[in-house]
Amino acid sequence: MTSSFTPFSDQDHAILASYFPVVDGIAALIGEYCEIVLHSLEFLEHSAIYIVNGHNTDRKIGSPITDRALWSLHHMQTDSVSKPYFTRSKGDVLMKSITIAIRNGKQHVIGLICININLDIPISQFLSTFIAPQESDDQVNFASSVEDLVMQTIENTIEEIQNDKHVANNNKNRQIVTNLFERGIFDIKDSINQVAERLNISRHTVYLYIRQIKQDIE
């Protein structure tokens, strides 16, 4: 465990800073009733170096580490994730929390991510975060293999273009390749072969479409 009196290296600071987007991402996913605090263990008296939704506990950047976080730290000799636990904030707000250790290259714990979910709000308010807007129709392929990912993306794209009356029949293959290119599918090895086979066109034709797409972008 890294001592709070040991100055951190530039690499330690960089590791901690790299978790800022993680904090933002968790908050964006779960919503405003989930507080996420990133603690640096360099200075425990003002350890909170990044916080989102601090209104749930009235904390802000520069707040000290909590006694429960310290307790979790001392029980993280090998594990990096605490068991979920329940606490109450100063305003007697019930929170369900978890603490995650951040380690440096020497496997020293240099920081903590504390995730606290406010359980005192009406359940309808909390669940409203997870209700998809009516206009949301984004589709994600949760494939079990790279091959499945490519094939599912190809099939979905073919269906999408085949049903698009604004795309002429003699231009559908090119549009399919264009959409697959925009979705990054050609970054995957051997995907060109799969696309060519599925569309019943040559690999050279797929390469030609891709070259034309890149030229249009430039």
Side-chain angles (χ1 to χ4, degrees), residues 7-65:
F8 280 9
S9 66
D10 290 343
Q11 185 180 35
D12 290 335
H13 290 141
I15 291 172
L16 290 170
S18 72
Y19 281 88
F20 286 13
V22 176
V23 172
D24 287 331
I26 296 171
L29 177 65
I30 302 180
E32 63 176 315
Y33 302 109
C34 179
E35 176 193 73
I36 306 96
V37 187
L38 175 61
H39 291 282
S40 167
L41 301 183
E42 187 172 21
F43 301 107
L44 300 183
E45 62 272 18
H46 45 85
S47 63
I49 59 173
Y50 197 60
I51 184 169
V52 179
N53 296 330
H55 58 271
N56 288 283
T57 62
D58 292 328
R59 286 186 295 173
K60 57 186 179 181
I61 292 176
S63 293
I65 198 166

Side-chain angles (χ1 to χ4, degrees), residues 1 41 65-85 87 97-101 103 109 112-114:
M1 182 187 308
L41 301 183
I65 198 166
T66 65
D67 53 351
R68 181 63 198 226
L70 282 174
W71 184 92
S72 296
L73 177 63
H74 282 279
H75 289 78
M76 284 182 172
Q77 301 303 317
T78 55
D79 296 335
S80 291
V81 181
S82 74
K83 293 181 179 179
Y85 53 91
T87 57
S97 308
I98 197 167
T99 300
I100 304 167
R103 300 177 186 273
V109 180
L112 301 172
I113 292 180
C114 295

Side-chain angles (χ1 to χ4, degrees), residues 144-190:
S144 58
S145 68
V146 171
E147 291 77 12
D148 287 344
L149 170 64
V150 174
M151 190 51 63
Q152 287 178 25
T153 305
I154 292 172
E155 294 300 331
N156 291 338
T157 304
I158 290 174
E159 182 180 1
E160 173 188 322
I161 299 304
Q162 293 293 356
N163 293 330
D164 190 341
K165 298 179 180 179
H166 296 94
V167 180
N169 288 333
N170 61 359
N171 195 43
K172 286 190 182 295
N173 281 347
R174 189 185 191 284
Q175 190 60 53
I176 289 168
V177 173
T178 298
N179 285 22
L180 290 171
F181 178 86
E182 292 174 348
R183 290 168 180 168
I185 207 67
F186 294 115
D187 293 336
I188 298 176
K189 185 179 179 181
D190 295 330

Side-chain angles (χ1 to χ4, degrees), residues 133-151:
Q134 290 184 348
E135 66 274 12
S136 176
D137 59 355
D138 291 342
Q139 183 171 351
V140 178
N141 294 328
F142 295 102
S144 58
S145 68
V146 171
E147 291 77 12
D148 287 344
L149 170 64
V150 174
M151 190 51 63

